[in-house]
């Protein structure tokens, strides 16, 4: 049982009005009373219907009319109850996951705590660096105009050396996680809306998700995290099977409506890209999921260390994290041309927040009557279009791009000439 004061404190750390908790309590009490009344109404309806059928003195039409009136009253009461039930669900979706005690808290929404900062200059004597847009143009790695002609704004064709680099990053990321005990998955690229609503933020439907316009209410996925989180929906996982670690490879599709005017050039922020994701299901008892959260975070850091990309880890402020996250860490990569760090990785522990909606429980032989919802953890490993941008800026020379050692066996070359 979670006490309401703990939830109030969590919402306060998110920078929200705590009165939403009081609204939830009032609505739940109201709904509980209405449910009791509805059950009594159904019980009385069954009794009266039975008596009316046994009544022989009144005409058949009178009996049928009376039963019809009772049935209509019950139907209206059920509609009102259903409206109240939807309202409670709406309020509960507004309330976020419990913020972890170690999560950074700030008065300001965009202020985050720096954990690790390591800035490296690979070529300190080189001339001012070109940005990734110019470099990809010189490499003849992207067709922007033809891409936009075919698919519109932010459209592109990846070709030649950039395509090979994209495939090499995917293969390296898959092998990297396979060596760490991950199960490889490639999920469907679209999802049913009723299931997606249980694992995606409500604002995502407006800002991120492409609706396919079908009768089945299907959407293109924005990340493999979404379909993989539902992989075990309505299932009970044996506690001996946990943790389960999945590597998710997928194309991702995002509207980027909330990023209008940002990064309009290049392939850093686009509507379609490939991503390798880490996703885990873990035991809710003894806080095991926090060890898996640290493992995912360290995996991502070591992956970029292998690529020799300078990184910055930041603890996202509790008033900036999404509803499903209890704690969130981002890893940013160094972009020398713009002299700043930019996001490459997002790592979150959602504890049991999503599992409750998806009904994913742990089978525990010692306590079968208790609902033990598993913990869900997710982390980016490699969003290839962004990593390509970061790599080519850091490894550029006046004649071309040096290929990091870990990618040379996949790409087959050590240098990309302009």
């Amino acid at each position: 049982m979670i006490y309401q004061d703990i939830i109030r404190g969590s919402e306060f750390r998110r920078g929200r009005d705590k009165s939403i908790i009081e609204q939830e309590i009032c609505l739940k009490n109201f709904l509980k009373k209405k449910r009791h009344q509805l059950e009594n109404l159904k019980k009385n309806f069954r009794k009266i219907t039975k008596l009316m059928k046994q009544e022989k003195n009144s005409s058949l039409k009178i009996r049928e009319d009376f039963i019809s009136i009772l049935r209509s009253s019950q139907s209206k009461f059920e509609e009102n109850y259903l409206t109240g039930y939807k309202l409670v669900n709406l309020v509960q979706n507004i309330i976020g996951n419990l913020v972890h005690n170690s999560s950074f808290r700030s008065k300001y929404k965009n202020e985050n705590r720096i954990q690790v900062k390591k800035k490296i200059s690979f070529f300190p004597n080189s001339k001012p660096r070109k940005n990734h847009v110019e470099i990809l143009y010189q490499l003849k790695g992207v067709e922007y105009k033809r891409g936009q002609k075919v698919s519109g704004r932010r459209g592109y064709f990846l070709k030649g050396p950039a395509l090979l680099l994209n495939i090499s990053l995917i293969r390296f990321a898959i092998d990297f996680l396979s060596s760490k005990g991950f199960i490889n998955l490639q999920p469907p690229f679209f999802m049913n809306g009723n299931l997606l609503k249980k694992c995606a933020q409500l604002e995502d439907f407006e800002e991120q998700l492409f609706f396919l316009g079908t009768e089945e209410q299907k959407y293109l996925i924005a990340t493999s995290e979404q379909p993989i989180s539902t992989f075990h929906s309505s299932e009970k996982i044996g506690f001996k099977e946990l943790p389960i670690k999945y590597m998710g490879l997928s194309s991702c599709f995002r509207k980027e409506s909330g990023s209008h005017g940002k990064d309009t050039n290049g392939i850093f922020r686009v509507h379609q890209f490939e991503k390798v994701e880490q996703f885990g299901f873990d035991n809710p008892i003894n806080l095991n999921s926090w060890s898996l959260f640290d493992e995912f975070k360290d995996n991502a850091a070591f992956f970029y260390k292998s690529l020799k990309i300078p990184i910055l880890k930041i603890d996202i402020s509790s008033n900036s994290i999404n509803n499903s996250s209890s704690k969130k860490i981002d890893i940013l990569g160094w972009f020398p041309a713009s002299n700043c760090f930019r996001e490459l990785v997002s790592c979150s522990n959602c504890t049991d927040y999503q599992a409750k909606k998806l009904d994913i429980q742990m089978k525990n032989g010692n306590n079968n009557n208790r609902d033990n919802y598993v913990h869900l953890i997710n982390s980016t490993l490699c969003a290839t279009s962004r990593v390509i941008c970061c790599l080519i800026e850091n490894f550029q020379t006046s004649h071309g791009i040096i290929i990091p050692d870990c990618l040379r066996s996949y790409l087959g070359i050590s240098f990309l000439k302009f």
Side-chain angles (χ1 to χ4, degrees), residues 170-209:
I170 292 171
R171 280 308 316 270
F172 173 54
I174 292 172
D175 290 348
F176 179 85
L177 291 181
S178 295
S179 67
K180 296 181 181 295
F182 282 73
I183 300 167
N184 298 331
L185 279 182
Q186 185 170 34
F189 289 174
F190 51 85
M191 286 182 68
N192 292 323
N194 59 347
L195 204 55
L196 188 58
K197 287 175 183 176
K198 296 179 181 180
C199 61
Q201 297 285 112
L202 291 175
E203 56 268 23
D204 286 348
F205 285 85
E206 182 66 30
E207 296 181 1
Q208 295 287 2
L209 299 171

Side-chain angles (χ1 to χ4, degrees), residues 10 75 118 122 162 193 203 211-212 215 226 230 255 258 268 293 301 313 325 347 376 381 391 394 406 418:
S10 178
S75 179
K118 189 177 182 183
F122 290 104
E203 56 268 23
F211 178 52
L212 294 179
E215 292 181 3
Q226 292 163 346
T230 64
K255 291 197 307 193
F268 182 84
F293 174 76
K313 290 183 191 176
S325 298
C347 181
L376 274 56
L381 184 72
L391 271 177
N394 279 288
C406 60
F418 288 142

